[in-house]
Amino acid sequence: PVTITPIFKEKQGKEWISYGADDNYGTFLEELYLGSSINSAIINGVSEMIYGEGLDAHDRNDNEASKEQWLRLQMLLNESEPQVLQKCSMDLKLYGQCYINTIWNNSRTRVVKFKHLPVNSMRPGVAGSDGHIPLYYHNNDWSNKRSKPDVIKTFSTEDRTEASRVLHIKRYAPSFHYMGIPDWNGSIGYVQLDISIQTFHLANISSGLFPSMLLNFSNGLPTDEEQRMIEQKVNEKFSGSANAGKVLISFSDGSESQPTLTPIQNNGTDGMYEYLSNEVTTKVLTGHRVTSPLLFGVKGDGSGFGNNADELRDSYSLFHNTVIIPFQELLLDGL
């Protein structure tokens, strides 16, 4: 079903906020990521661009204080979960938010470890009157009603009673206080359409859903078992992906004994699906704010990379400044 606008709201008697009306919005986004080739290519590419070559600091050698801060950052990342920042970059693009489990040292003077918390495993608690969310709930399997979630307090520099805290980083979106939404939310319907077209063509080739030939036996009506055997042998010989289309077989009690082969003309759906395929590509690229399809290996109207070098360079510069840098700043500001 088309689920373009998620619903995150408080429910009476519930301590946490469901991830969508059916608490399944995270899984829905994951299916769109895994099921559409163009969508997954863009999400993978953008998340890799967000992380780039990792963290750096232009002023790390300016003075002793900067050097010390830089060394502490390196120690923190070395002690943290491997690829924690890469995973956060992926989550920011895929879900529009990410969660980090921060660990204070025993004296509560420094954060000494980061752990990545999968977005689909987290649920925010109900906010107070000031809008602050005090608690988050973690459960690796929310579908298991018997599984009790872990309760983790929100990260705070003032309250350091518990060592383990949750840092929630999300994109701002109007009317969405509790959770972030992906920046490609507007093209979700077209991503679903891309998956549906792919599924249709695969089923059509694999199963021959649309027959391309009518084979009529007009030399009498055989028994049901004989009809089944004849149909099975004809399909074994002529159908399949190497012989596009399936044969539609009929039997009639006519006077002629010679079978009649009648080609079935298509209704122009091939042109419609070609149009839809191009439309899907355009709309998905637009939803991700992609300035040129060449950035993600999708060939545009040009003849190739060689003739589009200037376009590719300018498109990358524009895409980096308008899409990648805001994501990087969002992650850095959160950290």
Side-chain angles (χ1 to χ4, degrees), residues 23-139:
D23 201 27
N24 206 34
Y25 190 67
T27 303
F28 170 70
L29 293 177
E30 292 164 8
E31 290 174 351
L32 296 183
Y33 163 67
L34 295 172
S36 169
S37 58
I38 185 171
N39 194 44
S40 63
I42 296 173
I43 291 175
N44 288 335
V46 171
S47 66
E48 291 168 1
M49 291 180 186
I50 294 172
Y51 179 74
E53 296 181 359
L55 286 179
D56 200 356
H58 299 296
D59 60 346
R60 61 182 180 176
N61 294 318
D62 287 358
N63 49 58
E64 290 301 319
S66 297
K67 289 181 181 179
E68 182 180 357
Q69 289 179 352
W70 176 253
L71 289 174
R72 284 186 174 183
L73 173 63
Q74 298 310 302
M75 292 173 59
L76 171 60
L77 294 177
N78 288 335
E79 292 296 324
S80 298
E81 177 184 320
Q83 298 183 328
V84 61
L85 295 183
Q86 291 97 316
K87 294 174 182 178
C88 289
S89 299
M90 167 62 81
D91 285 353
L92 281 177
K93 177 58 183 174
L94 176 56
Y95 305 99
Q97 58 185 332
C98 68
Y99 294 90
I100 299 175
N101 183 203
T102 60
I103 310 296
W104 289 100
N105 60 6
N106 291 332
S107 59
R108 306 293 195 270
T109 56
R110 287 192 298 116
V111 173
V112 293
K113 183 178 290 187
F114 285 155
K115 293 181 180 179
H116 170 257
L117 295 171
V119 170
N120 214 3
S121 69
M122 301 298 297
R123 302 290 186 270
V126 177
S129 58
D130 59 352
H132 175 67
I133 302 172
L135 302 172
Y136 285 88
Y137 295 81
H138 173 263
N139 192 339

Side-chain angles (χ1 to χ4, degrees), residues 202-233:
L202 180 61
N204 191 26
I205 292 175
S206 300
S207 304
L209 293 179
F210 283 88
S212 58
M213 187 72 66
L214 170 63
L215 176 59
N216 179 45
F217 292 94
S218 55
N219 57 339
L221 291 172
T223 64
D224 291 343
E225 179 63 22
E226 290 172 336
Q227 290 183 28
R228 187 187 65 79
M229 293 296 296
I230 293 173
E231 184 175 353
Q232 179 181 343
K233 290 184 178 296

Side-chain angles (χ1 to χ4, degrees), residues 114-178:
F114 285 155
K115 293 181 180 179
H116 170 257
L117 295 171
V119 170
N120 214 3
S121 69
M122 301 298 297
R123 302 290 186 270
V126 177
S129 58
D130 59 352
H132 175 67
I133 302 172
L135 302 172
Y136 285 88
Y137 295 81
H138 173 263
N139 192 339
N140 288 321
D141 185 10
W142 285 96
S143 63
N144 184 0
K145 303 303 180 182
R146 296 182 178 180
S147 178
K148 188 176 181 180
D150 299 320
V151 183
I152 313 175
K153 286 188 176 182
T154 302
F155 178 81
S156 171
T157 56
E158 298 175 359
D159 178 11
R160 307 186 183 188
T161 52
E162 288 86 3
S164 178
R165 295 299 183 105
V166 171
L167 177 65
H168 185 200
I169 303 174
K170 67 183 182 71
R171 293 178 62 252
Y172 168 76
S175 303
F176 291 94
H177 174 67
Y178 285 105

Side-chain angles (χ1 to χ4, degrees), residues 242-299:
N243 303 285
K246 205 169 187 178
V247 178
L248 178 62
I249 302 173
S250 70
F251 301 89
S252 61
D253 191 8
S255 56
E256 301 178 0
S257 59
Q258 184 176 358
T260 302
L261 290 173
T262 305
I264 297 177
Q265 302 297 325
N266 67 60
N267 57 1
T269 54
D270 53 343
M272 180 186 69
Y273 283 110
E274 182 179 359
Y275 163 77
L276 285 177
S277 180
N278 294 331
E279 184 74 359
V280 161
T281 300
T282 301
K283 290 298 192 294
V284 173
L285 290 170
T286 301
H288 284 281
R289 298 175 289 165
V290 175
T291 50
S292 172
L294 290 175
L295 293 173
F296 298 95
V298 181
K299 191 172 181 181

